[in-house]
Amino acid sequence: MTREELRALLRDPRTLAVVGLSPDPTRPSHGVARYLQRAGYRIVPVNPGHTMILGERSYPTLATAARDFAIDVVDVFRRSEYAGGVVDEAIPLQPKLIWLQQGVVDEAAAARAAAACIPCVMDRCLAVEHQLLEV
């Protein structure tokens, strides 16, 4: 995926589901989601252990979040061994992009997303890329 393609994918979406978003401000997921929220994105937390994160209702699953929102991007803050399940849950929702955060890699899950015509970025930080791309 070229930088221009990535820039276009991040410029148009407005609603990001953040799977594994922590309410703890010291956690990377919290900092990244807060940055993206301040950049103008609607953040939809997906964390079954909490009801509110960053001032937004938190959902137990992507499927329940998708009942209330059309999800443009799925941003995954789960360990690699759990990423495939999140990708499989995301595919029927047809997001424009699935993003596996820095340190999260699952080649088989990325291939399943690609087979469903959904781009999948792995092992990169969405906030860092957003800043570098000047979206």
Side-chain angles (χ1 to χ4, degrees), residues 22-68:
S22 173
D24 180 349
T26 65
R27 302 290 298 166
S29 64
H30 191 91
V32 168
R34 184 181 44 213
Y35 164 82
L36 294 166
Q37 191 177 51
R38 289 178 179 165
Y41 295 94
R42 172 85 188 241
I43 299 300
V44 179
V46 178
N47 184 328
H50 301 280
T51 56
M52 294 287 288
I53 303 174
L54 290 172
E56 298 286 347
R57 177 181 171 200
S58 183
Y59 292 85
T61 66
L62 276 171
T64 55
R67 290 184 206 144
D68 292 342

Side-chain angles (χ1 to χ4, degrees), residues 62-84:
L62 276 171
T64 55
R67 290 184 206 144
D68 292 342
F69 298 97
I71 296 170
D72 298 312
V73 176
V74 175
D75 187 12
V76 182
F77 278 93
R78 297 293 316 271
R79 292 193 311 245
S80 295
E81 59 264 30
Y82 302 115

Side-chain angles (χ1 to χ4, degrees), residues 87 91 98 107-120:
V87 171
I91 289 171
I98 297 173
E107 297 289 346
R112 292 191 301 274
C117 300
I118 302 169
C120 183

